[in-house]
Amino acid sequence: MTLKKEDYPIRVQYDWEMGEFFPKEKMVQRKVSDLAMMFHDQAAVKAAVTDSDPLVYEIFYYGFKTSKSDMALGTTRIQPGKVGDEYYMTKGHFHEAEDQPEIYFCVKGEGYLLMETRDGEFEAHEWTAGTISHIPPMWAHRVVNTGKGPLVFVASYHLSAGHDYGQIEAGGFLKRVVERDGKAVLVLNEARK
Ligand code: S6P
Ligand code: ZN
């Protein structure tokens, strides 16, 4: 059988310090304004956006697409910070394809992985560098940085999994991660009651 060009093995290099792949294939940045509806303190959102609209996180993707497969790696670097009392976090999503799981590997920093199903099951994994979480199909996922430095994690998934942001954009997750007396705590999300 004649192999196509895309069917040969390839490699990329991961820079542990930076939390990026080289070569870079695609990068997306999300600022406070891109996540405006995700934070509960809308006055704090408005103040942050008017001031400097800070960067919250960046995602670098690398797709390993062959004629028969579609694996991908993403690396996400979340800056430290808060909007009001709520820590910086990813938008969060379900996968469009309901049979698609994902593996997250925290390589730097500390925080939480929040997960929930459409039926209201909720799980949170506390993360430090080295924690690996398996996200089963049908569980939405969001990462929150509660540390003083960047939180970096690598995601392994299929490109065909897709992203479904709808439900999370509408109501968020069942719990939020906020600072209380200098500590990160999980509180119920009033908007979902
Ligand atoms: C893709 C995977 C990650 C996220 C990234 C940003 O399935 O879960 O690469 O896309 O961490 O999160 P979000 O919620 O903004 O896509
Ligand atoms: Zn995902």
Side-chain angles (χ1 to χ4, degrees):
M1 190 183 80
T2 315
L3 291 176
K4 297 189 174 128
K5 187 166 168 274
E6 64 269 26
D7 292 330
Y8 284 85
I10 60 162
R11 69 176 173 185
V12 295
Q13 198 70 26
Y14 190 71
D15 183 323
W16 292 99
E17 206 41 51
M18 296 292 292
E20 294 178 20
F21 299 113
F22 295 95
K24 283 181 202 167
E25 198 173 56
K26 189 180 158 203
M27 200 252 270
V28 173
Q29 290 192 323
R30 294 209 211 281
K31 298 179 170 190
V32 172
S33 57
D34 299 312
L35 303 161
M37 72 295 268
M38 303 291 162
F39 293 103
H40 73 112
D41 185 341
Q42 286 299 306
V45 167
K46 205 171 167 197
V49 171
T50 310
D51 185 21
S52 59
D53 196 10
L55 174 70
V56 178
Y57 62 100
E58 294 152 291
I59 319 154
F60 302 88
Y61 295 103
Y62 209 97
F64 300 91
K65 223 172 167 181
T66 73
S67 58
K68 293 187 169 50
S69 62
D70 69 344
M71 289 198 77
L73 283 176
T75 188
T76 304
R77 182 169 59 213
I78 312 175
Q79 295 302 318
K82 294 191 300 281
V83 174
D85 62 2
E86 194 168 8
Y87 292 94
Y88 281 4
M89 59 196 176
T90 60
K91 205 168 174 183
H93 59 269
F94 286 91
H95 288 159
E96 268 173 349
E98 295 196 326
D99 60 349
Q100 285 299 309
E102 183 158 3
I103 288 176
Y104 274 3
F105 178 8
C106 177
V107 300
K108 186 186 269 190
E110 56 195 83
Y112 284 92
L113 166 64
L114 309 183
M115 293 165 285
E116 71 178 55
T117 68
R118 293 192 196 275
D119 296 333
E121 291 277 349
F122 178 89
E123 292 271 330
H125 287 179
E126 200 169 349
W127 271 14
T128 55
T131 310
I132 298 173
S133 293
H134 175 247
I135 302 158
M138 317 278 278
W139 286 77
H141 36 291
R142 163 181 283 171
V143 177
V144 185
N145 181 3
T146 60
K148 295 198 184 328
L151 185 156
V152 179
F153 66 96
V154 174
S156 173
Y157 57 103
H158 286 118
L159 287 168
S160 51
H163 295 82
D164 175 359
Y165 292 102
Q167 178 177 321
I168 305 301
E169 276 175 350
F173 279 69
L174 283 161
K175 291 187 183 173
R176 299 181 177 278
V177 186
V178 299
E179 189 184 59
R180 294 275 188 273
D181 301 322
K183 287 205 179 87
V185 293
L186 274 71
V187 296
L188 280 177
N189 175 8
E190 297 294 324
R192 288 283 300 272
K193 276 187 179 168

